[in-house]
Amino acid sequence: MSFWGVEVLPGKPVIQRFSKAKGKLHISQATVSSDIGNGSYNIHCQCNVREKNPILLCSFATNYQRSCRIDLEFGEEDGDIVLSVIGSGTYGVHLTGYYIGDASFNGQGN
């Protein structure tokens, strides 16, 4: 396994492409940017997979919740994943997780 992380900003989608060498991507956590202060904002993070309609990954009302656990895995069959942030304000969402590499690629195979 190896760490993965990205900050997704409003109006600046992030495209995540599958890499055979890195393996599947597991997204574990989403956290609103730390510079948000004490304001109250609605922020949503979504993804598009295989050019289908966007799917909401998480939603934050920042005066109540600023972090959430996610348990999603994306592989080669999913193609490009487009991650984006929508909602009030100009604050981003930090997504973290890890790659699940094939044992033959990461030195753990026989």
Side-chain angles (χ1 to χ4, degrees):
M1 288 189 290
S2 63
F3 176 80
W4 173 86
V6 67
E7 181 179 22
V8 184
L9 298 169
K12 297 182 179 180
V14 172
I15 298 173
Q16 180 66 40
R17 291 191 164 86
F18 177 78
S19 165
K20 229 176 203 180
K22 292 179 181 178
K24 291 184 176 187
L25 171 63
H26 183 273
I27 301 177
S28 305
Q29 175 120 357
T31 305
V32 176
S33 294
S34 61
D35 62 349
I36 201 163
N38 292 324
S40 177
Y41 302 96
N42 293 316
I43 301 171
H44 314 284
C45 187
Q46 64 184 18
C47 74
N48 293 66
V49 178
R50 292 186 303 275
E51 300 178 11
K52 293 185 178 181
N53 289 334
I55 301 298
L56 192 62
L57 296 180
C58 56
S59 184
F60 299 100
T62 60
N63 55 334
Y64 297 109
Q65 180 187 19
R66 294 189 181 193
S67 184
C68 75
R69 292 184 47 87
I70 299 175
D71 187 16
L72 292 173
E73 204 170 276
F74 298 97
E76 185 172 13
E77 64 278 3
D78 296 314
D80 288 351
I81 302 161
V82 180
L83 303 162
S84 56
V85 169
I86 55 175
S88 59
T90 59
Y91 300 100
V93 173
H94 294 264
L95 298 172
T96 57
Y98 52 90
Y99 289 105
I100 305 169
D102 184 337
S104 63
F105 288 108
N106 63 19
Q108 295 176 5
N110 294 331

XYZ file of all heavy atoms in Angstrom:
841
model
N 0.836 -1.182 0.000
C 0.000 0.000 0.000
C 0.880 1.245 0.000
O 1.944 1.242 0.599
C -0.897 0.028 1.240
C -2.010 -0.972 1.209
S -3.204 -0.749 2.542
C -2.253 -1.247 3.950
N 0.389 2.279 -0.641
C 1.083 3.561 -0.588
C 0.056 4.682 -0.467
O -1.052 4.596 -0.985
C 1.975 3.759 -1.818
O 1.207 3.809 -2.993
N 0.434 5.743 0.226
C -0.442 6.874 0.529
C -0.873 7.597 -0.740
O -0.118 7.729 -1.697
C 0.283 7.846 1.453
C -0.496 9.087 1.738
C -1.508 9.082 2.677
C -0.233 10.268 1.060
C -2.252 10.230 2.944
C -0.959 11.424 1.315
C -1.967 11.402 2.260
N -2.103 8.111 -0.728
C -2.632 8.958 -1.781
C -3.383 10.102 -1.118
O -4.071 9.917 -0.115
C -3.598 8.159 -2.667
C -4.318 9.002 -3.676
C -3.877 9.355 -4.913
C -5.611 9.600 -3.527
N -4.812 10.137 -5.543
C -5.883 10.299 -4.713
C -6.549 9.616 -2.498
C -7.059 11.005 -4.905
C -7.728 10.329 -2.687
C -7.974 11.003 -3.893
N -3.244 11.304 -1.647
C -3.975 12.445 -1.129
C -4.058 13.555 -2.160
O -3.159 13.704 -2.990
N -5.137 14.324 -2.110
C -5.326 15.425 -3.042
C -6.281 16.439 -2.417
O -7.151 16.075 -1.635
C -5.876 14.906 -4.402
C -7.287 14.358 -4.259
C -5.824 15.968 -5.470
N -6.081 17.719 -2.737
C -7.048 18.743 -2.376
C -7.822 19.085 -3.638
O -7.240 19.426 -4.669
C -6.382 19.998 -1.827
C -7.424 21.046 -1.431
C -6.837 22.326 -0.854
O -5.655 22.610 -1.118
O -7.565 23.039 -0.151
N -9.139 18.992 -3.547
C -10.018 19.315 -4.670
C -10.649 20.663 -4.378
O -11.287 20.846 -3.340
C -11.101 18.228 -4.860
C -11.937 18.533 -6.097
C -10.481 16.840 -4.960
N -10.448 21.612 -5.275
C -10.951 22.975 -5.102
C -12.161 23.222 -5.995
O -12.268 22.633 -7.077
C -9.850 23.984 -5.438
C -8.610 23.915 -4.558
C -7.489 24.755 -5.147
C -8.945 24.355 -3.144
N -13.085 24.097 -5.576
C -14.244 24.415 -6.409
C -13.802 24.946 -7.768
O -12.887 25.760 -7.864
C -14.973 25.504 -5.615
C -14.494 25.354 -4.216
C -13.092 24.837 -4.309
N -14.412 24.444 -8.810
C -14.097 24.892 -10.164
C -12.808 24.324 -10.733
O -12.426 24.669 -11.841
N -12.126 23.458 -9.988
C -10.880 22.854 -10.452
C -10.924 21.337 -10.231
O -10.302 20.813 -9.308
C -9.682 23.454 -9.728
C -9.513 24.933 -9.997
C -8.300 25.484 -9.313
C -8.162 26.964 -9.628
N -6.994 27.549 -8.994
N -11.683 20.636 -11.072
C -11.798 19.185 -10.900
C -10.439 18.494 -11.006
O -9.531 18.986 -11.673
C -12.699 18.743 -12.055
C -13.291 19.983 -12.610
C -12.413 21.123 -12.224
N -10.331 17.371 -10.325
C -9.118 16.552 -10.356
C -9.447 15.248 -11.075
O -10.438 14.590 -10.731
C -8.618 16.251 -8.925
C -7.474 15.249 -8.937
C -8.205 17.532 -8.227
N -8.636 14.897 -12.063
C -8.836 13.643 -12.784
C -7.852 12.621 -12.237
O -6.648 12.856 -12.215
C -8.631 13.820 -14.302
C -9.652 14.814 -14.844
C -8.736 12.472 -15.010
C -9.441 15.187 -16.297
N -8.390 11.509 -11.789
C -7.571 10.419 -11.256
C -7.597 9.285 -12.280
O -8.650 8.746 -12.588
C -8.140 9.950 -9.912
C -7.384 8.830 -9.283
C -5.982 9.250 -8.863
O -5.774 10.342 -8.366
N -5.035 8.372 -9.073
N -6.421 8.959 -12.813
C -6.317 7.885 -13.800
C -5.755 6.632 -13.151
O -4.859 6.699 -12.323
C -5.417 8.321 -14.945
C -6.049 9.412 -15.773
C -5.294 9.676 -17.062
N -6.107 10.438 -17.969
C -6.181 11.762 -17.971
N -5.484 12.460 -17.099
N -6.957 12.384 -18.827
N -6.288 5.494 -13.541
C -5.813 4.221 -13.019
C -4.389 3.969 -13.481
O -4.032 4.228 -14.627
C -6.720 3.081 -13.484
C -6.241 1.737 -13.034
C -6.451 1.310 -11.735
C -5.551 0.910 -13.901
C -5.989 0.075 -11.308
C -5.086 -0.330 -13.493
C -5.319 -0.748 -12.188
N -3.561 3.449 -12.590
C -2.186 3.059 -12.909
C -2.011 1.605 -12.491
O -2.183 1.266 -11.319
C -1.195 3.941 -12.146
O 0.090 3.366 -12.172
N -1.687 0.742 -13.449
C -1.486 -0.672 -13.132
C -0.388 -0.862 -12.092
O -0.479 -1.713 -11.220
C -1.135 -1.443 -14.401
C -1.935 -2.676 -14.584
C -1.623 -3.360 -15.881
C -2.832 -4.208 -16.205
N -2.696 -4.935 -17.420
N 0.649 -0.050 -12.167
C 1.768 -0.173 -11.226
C 1.346 0.179 -9.798
O 1.830 -0.414 -8.840
C 2.920 0.720 -11.660
N 0.428 1.141 -9.638
C -0.018 1.546 -8.303
C -1.178 0.701 -7.804
O -1.347 0.518 -6.615
C -0.410 3.023 -8.300
C 0.766 3.945 -8.497
C 0.317 5.380 -8.513
C 1.495 6.311 -8.728
N 1.072 7.708 -8.789
N -2.015 0.236 -8.704
C -3.152 -0.594 -8.334
C -4.410 0.213 -8.088
O -4.525 1.366 -8.489
N -5.362 -0.398 -7.410
C -6.649 0.238 -7.118
C -6.460 1.392 -6.140
O -5.581 1.361 -5.293
C -7.617 -0.770 -6.521
C -8.068 -1.822 -7.496
C -9.092 -2.729 -6.858
C -9.602 -3.725 -7.886
N -10.715 -4.515 -7.353
N -7.333 2.377 -6.265
C -7.326 3.512 -5.346
C -8.433 3.319 -4.322
O -9.595 3.100 -4.675
C -7.555 4.816 -6.096
C -7.779 6.061 -5.237
C -6.547 6.357 -4.385
C -8.137 7.242 -6.107
N -8.079 3.386 -3.044
C -9.050 3.326 -1.958
C -9.093 4.705 -1.308
O -8.090 5.187 -0.806
C -8.640 2.277 -0.921
C -9.643 2.127 0.169
N -9.632 2.925 1.294
C -10.701 1.307 0.300
C -10.638 2.573 2.068
N -11.301 1.602 1.497
N -10.259 5.370 -1.360
C -10.432 6.671 -0.711
C -11.027 6.423 0.663
O -12.062 5.759 0.791
C -11.312 7.614 -1.540
C -10.689 7.844 -2.926
C -11.503 8.945 -0.816
C -11.523 8.709 -3.849
N -10.356 6.948 1.700
C -10.717 6.649 3.080
C -11.329 7.808 3.849
O -12.105 7.592 4.769
C -9.472 6.218 3.865
O -8.841 5.158 3.224
N -10.946 9.038 3.514
C -11.367 10.173 4.344
C -11.505 11.424 3.496
O -10.766 11.633 2.536
C -10.328 10.425 5.436
C -10.595 11.633 6.280
C -10.762 11.307 7.740
O -10.739 10.160 8.131
N -10.930 12.329 8.539
N -12.450 12.272 3.895
C -12.628 13.598 3.296
C -12.667 14.614 4.430
O -13.338 14.404 5.440
C -13.918 13.658 2.498
N -11.929 15.714 4.255
C -11.864 16.762 5.266
C -11.920 18.116 4.573
O -11.221 18.333 3.589
C -10.554 16.657 6.080
O -10.452 15.342 6.622
C -10.504 17.678 7.187
N -12.710 19.025 5.108
C -12.800 20.375 4.564
C -11.483 21.102 4.851
O -10.859 20.894 5.899
C -13.986 21.132 5.196
C -14.041 22.571 4.722
C -15.289 20.428 4.883
N -11.065 21.962 3.937
C -9.833 22.729 4.110
C -9.785 23.394 5.474
O -10.790 23.906 5.969
C -9.708 23.802 3.034
O -9.546 23.209 1.768
N -8.610 23.407 6.073
C -8.461 23.903 7.444
C -8.596 25.417 7.572
O -8.817 25.924 8.660
C -7.112 23.459 8.005
O -6.071 23.991 7.224
N -8.481 26.167 6.492
C -8.540 27.624 6.565
C -9.969 28.170 6.530
O -10.187 29.342 6.349
C -7.709 28.247 5.451
C -8.207 27.894 4.066
O -9.073 27.002 3.945
O -7.721 28.492 3.097
N -10.954 27.324 6.773
C -12.347 27.730 6.653
C -12.810 28.623 7.806
O -13.789 29.338 7.693
C -13.258 26.492 6.500
C -14.584 26.902 5.872
C -13.473 25.791 7.821
C -15.370 25.768 5.327
N -12.114 28.593 8.917
C -12.485 29.431 10.055
C -13.778 28.978 10.696
O -14.097 27.799 10.725
N -14.560 29.932 11.191
C -15.809 29.602 11.891
C -17.048 29.829 11.038
O -18.161 29.826 11.546
C -15.919 30.426 13.181
C -14.891 29.999 14.192
O -14.578 28.812 14.294
N -14.348 30.962 14.930
N -16.864 30.044 9.749
C -18.004 30.280 8.870
C -18.871 29.043 8.714
O -18.466 27.928 9.022
N -20.085 29.250 8.233
C -21.014 28.149 7.991
C -21.230 28.020 6.485
O -21.771 28.932 5.851
C -22.340 28.419 8.698
O -23.247 27.394 8.413
N -20.786 26.903 5.933
C -20.868 26.676 4.491
C -21.396 25.279 4.222
O -21.220 24.367 5.029
C -19.493 26.810 3.839
C -18.851 28.146 4.055
C -17.946 28.340 5.088
C -19.147 29.224 3.225
C -17.351 29.572 5.293
C -18.557 30.456 3.424
C -17.664 30.623 4.459
O -17.075 31.839 4.660
N -22.031 25.109 3.079
C -22.413 23.788 2.587
C -21.454 23.443 1.458
O -21.385 24.169 0.465
C -23.854 23.780 2.084
C -24.839 23.978 3.213
O -24.701 23.368 4.266
N -25.817 24.830 3.003
N -20.726 22.368 1.628
C -19.716 21.955 0.659
C -19.955 20.492 0.323
O -20.163 19.665 1.211
C -18.300 22.151 1.234
C -18.078 23.622 1.593
C -17.249 21.673 0.248
C -16.804 23.889 2.358
N -19.898 20.171 -0.952
C -20.162 18.814 -1.418
C -19.020 18.355 -2.317
O -18.534 19.121 -3.153
C -21.471 18.762 -2.211
C -22.588 19.498 -1.547
N -23.269 18.991 -0.465
C -23.114 20.715 -1.789
C -24.181 19.859 -0.085
N -24.113 20.923 -0.867
N -18.616 17.121 -2.159
C -17.590 16.530 -3.012
C -18.241 15.399 -3.792
O -18.949 14.561 -3.219
C -16.429 16.011 -2.167
S -15.031 15.438 -3.157
N -18.011 15.378 -5.085
C -18.648 14.379 -5.935
C -17.641 13.759 -6.895
O -16.539 14.277 -7.059
C -19.804 14.995 -6.722
C -19.372 16.062 -7.701
C -20.546 16.729 -8.406
O -21.684 16.649 -7.962
N -20.263 17.379 -9.523
N -18.041 12.650 -7.512
C -17.186 12.034 -8.520
C -18.021 11.605 -9.712
O -19.205 11.319 -9.589
C -16.402 10.846 -7.940
S -17.363 9.364 -7.652
N -17.374 11.607 -10.864
C -17.950 11.072 -12.087
C -17.111 9.854 -12.468
O -15.885 9.944 -12.521
C -17.869 12.074 -13.239
C -18.743 13.268 -13.011
O -18.504 14.040 -12.098
N -19.741 13.424 -13.850
N -17.775 8.739 -12.723
C -17.101 7.518 -13.127
C -17.684 7.073 -14.459
O -18.913 7.040 -14.620
C -17.286 6.406 -12.064
C -16.627 5.111 -12.493
C -16.729 6.854 -10.720
N -16.823 6.749 -15.398
C -17.237 6.279 -16.723
C -18.245 7.221 -17.385
O -19.219 6.778 -17.978
C -17.806 4.863 -16.629
C -16.802 3.812 -16.283
C -17.371 2.412 -16.345
N -18.526 2.198 -15.504
C -18.500 1.873 -14.210
N -17.356 1.720 -13.603
N -19.618 1.689 -13.539
N -18.001 8.496 -17.277
C -18.815 9.520 -17.932
C -20.294 9.443 -17.574
O -21.150 9.910 -18.307
C -18.610 9.469 -19.443
C -17.169 9.720 -19.851
C -16.951 9.616 -21.346
O -17.943 9.552 -22.093
O -15.788 9.600 -21.751
N -20.619 8.854 -16.425
C -22.000 8.820 -15.953
C -22.282 10.080 -15.146
O -21.398 10.885 -14.896
C -22.230 7.573 -15.098
C -22.141 6.293 -15.896
C -22.480 5.102 -15.045
C -22.427 3.838 -15.888
N -22.773 2.652 -15.125
N -23.527 10.238 -14.717
C -23.889 11.389 -13.890
C -23.070 11.385 -12.603
O -22.720 10.327 -12.093
C -25.375 11.357 -13.556
C -26.237 11.658 -14.754
O -25.812 12.337 -15.683
N -27.453 11.145 -14.750
N -22.792 12.572 -12.068
C -22.003 12.661 -10.831
C -22.690 11.962 -9.655
O -23.906 11.954 -9.552
C -21.900 14.161 -10.555
C -22.431 14.853 -11.750
C -23.200 13.877 -12.551
N -21.866 11.390 -8.789
C -22.330 10.737 -7.565
C -21.725 11.511 -6.386
O -20.513 11.763 -6.349
C -21.863 9.270 -7.506
C -22.378 8.489 -8.703
C -22.278 8.617 -6.188
C -23.865 8.386 -8.804
N -22.547 11.867 -5.422
C -22.090 12.603 -4.247
C -21.306 11.675 -3.327
O -21.788 10.614 -2.941
C -23.301 13.184 -3.518
C -23.032 14.200 -2.436
C -22.355 15.437 -3.004
C -24.334 14.582 -1.758
N -20.071 12.053 -2.990
C -19.238 11.266 -2.073
C -19.475 11.682 -0.628
O -19.508 10.848 0.266
C -17.757 11.454 -2.394
C -17.260 10.969 -3.742
C -15.779 11.253 -3.869
C -17.552 9.499 -3.920
N -19.567 12.991 -0.407
C -19.771 13.488 0.950
C -20.318 14.907 0.875
O -20.166 15.598 -0.124
C -18.471 13.452 1.754
S -17.119 14.344 0.980
N -20.948 15.295 1.963
C -21.539 16.620 2.056
C -21.256 17.172 3.446
O -21.409 16.459 4.437
C -23.047 16.521 1.814
O -23.636 17.784 1.818
N -20.849 18.429 3.507
C -20.492 19.045 4.783
C -21.328 20.284 5.031
O -21.477 21.118 4.150
C -19.015 19.490 4.791
C -18.039 18.372 4.602
C -17.463 18.150 3.364
C -17.695 17.551 5.657
C -16.553 17.127 3.185
C -16.783 16.520 5.489
C -16.212 16.312 4.253
N -21.878 20.404 6.221
C -22.390 21.653 6.755
C -21.326 22.027 7.777
O -21.260 21.440 8.858
C -23.756 21.471 7.394
N -20.461 22.953 7.426
C -19.216 23.147 8.180
C -19.410 23.580 9.630
O -18.500 23.442 10.429
C -18.292 24.147 7.468
O -18.970 25.400 7.346
C -17.892 23.611 6.099
N -20.570 24.091 9.974
C -20.783 24.424 11.378
C -21.098 23.176 12.207
O -21.139 23.235 13.424
C -21.873 25.485 11.548
C -23.175 25.083 10.895
O -23.186 24.311 9.942
N -24.264 25.626 11.371
N -21.308 22.017 11.551
C -21.579 20.757 12.248
C -20.510 19.694 11.999
O -20.139 18.958 12.888
C -22.931 20.166 11.817
C -24.098 21.030 12.161
C -24.800 21.698 11.178
C -24.502 21.181 13.484
C -25.882 22.496 11.493
C -25.576 21.982 13.807
C -26.265 22.637 12.805
O -27.332 23.433 13.129
N -20.075 19.583 10.756
C -19.179 18.487 10.391
C -18.138 18.977 9.398
O -18.465 19.644 8.426
C -19.974 17.343 9.765
C -19.134 16.168 9.357
C -19.939 15.136 8.595
O -21.000 15.418 8.083
N -19.405 13.943 8.511
N -16.870 18.606 9.654
C -15.789 19.016 8.757
C -14.972 17.846 8.239
O -14.004 18.030 7.525
C -14.877 20.006 9.462
C -15.598 21.304 9.771
C -14.660 22.338 10.265
N -15.398 23.548 10.578
C -14.827 24.693 10.799
N -13.520 24.810 10.764
N -15.548 25.752 11.076
N -15.335 16.634 8.625
C -14.588 15.458 8.208
C -15.533 14.263 8.147
O -16.489 14.189 8.916
C -13.456 15.190 9.199
O -12.666 14.113 8.760
N -15.288 13.347 7.236
C -16.080 12.114 7.199
C -15.257 10.973 6.628
O -14.349 11.179 5.827
C -17.382 12.306 6.428
S -17.219 12.366 4.654
N -15.592 9.789 7.085
C -14.942 8.580 6.592
C -15.616 8.150 5.302
O -16.830 8.271 5.153
C -15.039 7.467 7.622
C -14.218 7.744 8.865
C -14.230 6.591 9.839
N -13.993 5.294 9.248
C -12.787 4.746 9.032
N -11.719 5.406 9.374
N -12.667 3.550 8.509
N -14.798 7.634 4.401
C -15.287 7.117 3.126
C -14.652 5.746 2.937
O -13.517 5.523 3.351
C -14.892 8.052 1.957
C -15.493 9.436 2.150
C -15.313 7.471 0.626
C -15.056 10.440 1.113
N -15.360 4.847 2.304
C -14.819 3.521 2.053
C -15.130 3.145 0.607
O -16.044 2.379 0.336
C -15.429 2.514 3.035
C -14.792 1.142 2.932
O -13.694 1.025 2.349
O -15.399 0.177 3.426
N -14.372 3.738 -0.322
C -14.588 3.507 -1.747
C -13.311 3.017 -2.410
O -12.221 3.479 -2.094
C -15.029 4.799 -2.442
C -16.392 5.331 -2.074
C -16.602 6.686 -2.724
C -17.472 4.371 -2.515
N -13.480 2.117 -3.361
C -12.343 1.575 -4.091
C -12.611 1.715 -5.580
O -13.689 1.387 -6.060
C -12.213 0.090 -3.728
C -10.835 -0.454 -3.915
C -10.728 -1.835 -3.309
O -10.493 -1.920 -2.088
O -10.897 -2.812 -4.052
N -11.611 2.224 -6.298
C -11.720 2.412 -7.741
C -10.605 1.631 -8.425
O -9.449 1.703 -8.017
C -11.592 3.898 -8.105
C -12.676 4.754 -7.519
C -12.454 5.451 -6.337
C -13.904 4.869 -8.137
C -13.447 6.244 -5.781
C -14.909 5.666 -7.587
C -14.670 6.358 -6.414
N -10.961 0.923 -9.486
C -9.978 0.122 -10.208
C -9.985 0.420 -11.697
O -10.634 1.365 -12.164
N -9.298 -0.412 -12.431
C -9.131 -0.237 -13.870
C -10.474 -0.185 -14.594
O -10.660 0.595 -15.530
C -8.279 -1.378 -14.424
C -7.930 -1.241 -15.878
C -6.936 -2.285 -16.329
O -6.689 -3.270 -15.596
O -6.387 -2.115 -17.424
N -11.425 -0.979 -14.148
C -12.733 -1.045 -14.798
C -13.514 0.260 -14.677
O -14.457 0.507 -15.422
C -13.562 -2.205 -14.230
C -13.924 -2.084 -12.768
C -12.826 -2.512 -11.795
O -11.703 -2.875 -12.209
O -13.082 -2.453 -10.580
N -13.128 1.125 -13.749
C -13.830 2.396 -13.552
C -13.350 3.489 -14.496
O -14.008 4.509 -14.649
C -13.678 2.864 -12.102
C -14.334 1.900 -11.136
O -15.479 1.492 -11.402
O -13.696 1.527 -10.134
N -12.192 3.311 -15.127
C -11.665 4.329 -16.014
C -11.245 5.579 -15.255
O -10.917 5.515 -14.079
N -11.281 6.720 -15.940
C -10.930 7.980 -15.285
C -12.016 8.366 -14.282
O -13.199 8.235 -14.552
C -10.788 9.107 -16.310
C -9.540 8.977 -17.156
O -8.690 8.118 -16.853
O -9.427 9.726 -18.136
N -11.578 8.862 -13.135
C -12.485 9.341 -12.101
C -12.286 10.844 -12.011
O -11.156 11.314 -11.855
C -12.150 8.699 -10.743
C -12.236 7.183 -10.843
C -13.070 9.223 -9.657
C -11.503 6.488 -9.731
N -13.366 11.601 -12.115
C -13.288 13.055 -12.007
C -13.862 13.451 -10.652
O -15.037 13.202 -10.364
C -14.052 13.754 -13.151
C -13.940 15.266 -13.011
C -13.535 13.298 -14.505
N -13.026 14.045 -9.816
C -13.420 14.493 -8.482
C -13.644 15.994 -8.519
O -12.816 16.730 -9.074
C -12.327 14.148 -7.470
C -11.966 12.662 -7.392
C -10.617 12.476 -6.709
C -13.055 11.904 -6.669
N -14.747 16.464 -7.945
C -15.015 17.903 -7.960
C -15.737 18.317 -6.683
O -16.330 17.502 -5.984
C -15.836 18.285 -9.193
O -17.030 17.536 -9.261
N -15.664 19.629 -6.400
C -16.291 20.218 -5.219
C -17.294 21.260 -5.683
O -16.997 22.084 -6.550
C -15.233 20.856 -4.294
C -15.879 21.693 -3.209
C -14.353 19.782 -3.683
N -18.473 21.212 -5.083
C -19.508 22.198 -5.370
C -20.057 22.702 -4.034
O -19.884 22.058 -3.007
C -20.643 21.609 -6.239
C -21.230 20.361 -5.571
C -20.159 21.294 -7.631
C -22.438 19.793 -6.297
N -20.689 23.853 -4.056
C -21.295 24.386 -2.835
C -20.916 25.824 -2.606
O -20.260 26.460 -3.419
N -21.335 26.340 -1.456
C -21.070 27.738 -1.132
C -19.622 27.915 -0.679
O -19.006 27.006 -0.135
C -22.036 28.202 -0.039
O -21.894 27.409 1.123
N -19.085 29.084 -0.932
C -17.708 29.367 -0.524
C -16.695 28.920 -1.567
O -17.036 28.379 -2.610
N -15.459 29.142 -1.239
C -14.363 28.818 -2.155
C -13.419 27.807 -1.526
O -12.252 27.750 -1.882
C -13.582 30.092 -2.521
O -13.078 30.677 -1.311
C -14.439 31.088 -3.263
N -13.928 27.025 -0.604
C -13.086 26.101 0.153
C -13.054 24.729 -0.492
O -14.044 24.260 -1.048
C -13.578 26.010 1.593
C -13.537 27.353 2.269
C -14.676 28.111 2.405
C -12.328 27.869 2.713
C -14.629 29.358 2.999
C -12.268 29.124 3.304
C -13.428 29.862 3.443
O -13.368 31.094 4.023
N -11.905 24.087 -0.369
C -11.718 22.780 -0.960
C -11.923 21.651 0.027
O -12.172 21.869 1.214
N -11.807 20.448 -0.509
C -11.921 19.233 0.288
C -10.652 18.418 0.067
O -10.229 18.208 -1.064
C -13.166 18.416 -0.118
C -13.195 17.069 0.589
C -14.446 19.203 0.163
N -10.040 17.985 1.165
C -8.876 17.108 1.112
C -9.369 15.670 1.146
O -10.109 15.284 2.069
C -7.952 17.346 2.316
C -7.319 18.694 2.305
N -6.056 18.906 1.799
C -7.780 19.891 2.719
C -5.761 20.189 1.919
N -6.797 20.810 2.467
N -8.996 14.892 0.153
C -9.319 13.469 0.119
C -8.039 12.695 0.370
O -6.985 13.031 -0.195
C -9.905 13.081 -1.234
C -11.219 13.751 -1.623
C -11.580 13.422 -3.059
C -12.334 13.316 -0.686
N -8.094 11.688 1.213
C -6.926 10.858 1.484
C -7.310 9.391 1.380
O -8.471 9.013 1.522
C -6.328 11.132 2.880
O -7.333 10.911 3.865
C -5.793 12.545 2.985
N -6.299 8.591 1.129
C -6.503 7.156 1.011
C -5.192 6.484 0.677
O -4.116 6.959 1.044
N -5.296 5.410 -0.082
C -4.089 4.656 -0.426
C -4.341 3.822 -1.669
O -5.477 3.546 -2.043
C -3.647 3.766 0.738
C -4.741 2.880 1.299
C -4.961 1.601 0.796
C -5.560 3.336 2.331
C -5.962 0.802 1.307
C -6.555 2.544 2.855
C -6.757 1.268 2.331
O -7.759 0.477 2.830
N -3.239 3.454 -2.311
C -3.285 2.545 -3.449
C -3.142 1.116 -2.942
O -2.345 0.847 -2.042
C -2.146 2.825 -4.423
C -2.299 4.119 -5.183
C -1.535 5.229 -4.853
C -3.199 4.226 -6.237
C -1.662 6.421 -5.564
C -3.328 5.403 -6.950
C -2.555 6.492 -6.604
O -2.676 7.666 -7.296
N -3.910 0.220 -3.517
C -3.802 -1.201 -3.207
C -3.130 -1.844 -4.408
O -3.777 -2.145 -5.409
C -5.182 -1.833 -2.970
C -5.919 -1.069 -1.890
C -5.049 -3.311 -2.633
C -7.377 -1.433 -1.754
N -1.811 -2.004 -4.332
C -1.047 -2.528 -5.444
C -1.157 -4.028 -5.571
O -1.411 -4.742 -4.598
N -0.966 -4.508 -6.771
C -0.888 -5.939 -7.037
C 0.409 -6.459 -6.409
O 1.452 -5.835 -6.534
C -0.873 -6.169 -8.543
C -0.884 -7.620 -8.946
O -0.464 -8.482 -8.129
O -1.299 -7.906 -10.067
N 0.348 -7.577 -5.728
C 1.524 -8.118 -5.043
C 2.716 -8.275 -5.979
O 3.852 -8.104 -5.584
C 1.184 -9.462 -4.397
N 2.473 -8.553 -7.245
C 3.582 -8.743 -8.173
C 4.278 -7.426 -8.506
O 5.408 -7.416 -8.951
C 3.094 -9.404 -9.463
O 2.152 -8.561 -10.129
N 3.591 -6.287 -8.267
C 4.176 -4.985 -8.564
C 4.910 -4.389 -7.359
O 5.798 -3.597 -7.507
C 3.110 -3.982 -9.013
C 2.578 -4.264 -10.383
C 1.303 -4.748 -10.535
C 3.365 -4.075 -11.495
C 0.806 -5.008 -11.801
C 2.889 -4.343 -12.749
C 1.602 -4.812 -12.906
N 4.502 -4.720 -6.139
C 5.086 -4.037 -4.993
C 6.070 -4.878 -4.193
O 6.369 -4.568 -3.066
C 3.973 -3.473 -4.081
C 3.108 -4.566 -3.490
O 3.515 -5.717 -3.448
N 1.926 -4.198 -3.029
N 6.558 -5.933 -4.781
C 7.598 -6.724 -4.150
C 7.112 -7.691 -3.090
O 7.906 -8.317 -2.421
N 5.792 -7.850 -2.953
C 5.280 -8.757 -1.921
C 4.865 -10.104 -2.511
O 4.364 -10.953 -1.815
C 4.082 -8.115 -1.228
C 4.464 -6.866 -0.472
C 3.256 -6.184 0.132
O 2.138 -6.689 0.063
N 3.473 -5.034 0.724
N 5.053 -10.266 -3.798
C 4.657 -11.526 -4.448
C 5.708 -12.615 -4.246
O 6.762 -12.408 -3.670
N 5.391 -13.798 -4.748
C 6.322 -14.923 -4.632
C 7.419 -14.861 -5.662
O 7.317 -14.440 -6.711
C 5.567 -16.250 -4.801
C 4.604 -16.442 -3.649
O 4.845 -15.951 -2.553
N 3.522 -17.138 -3.898
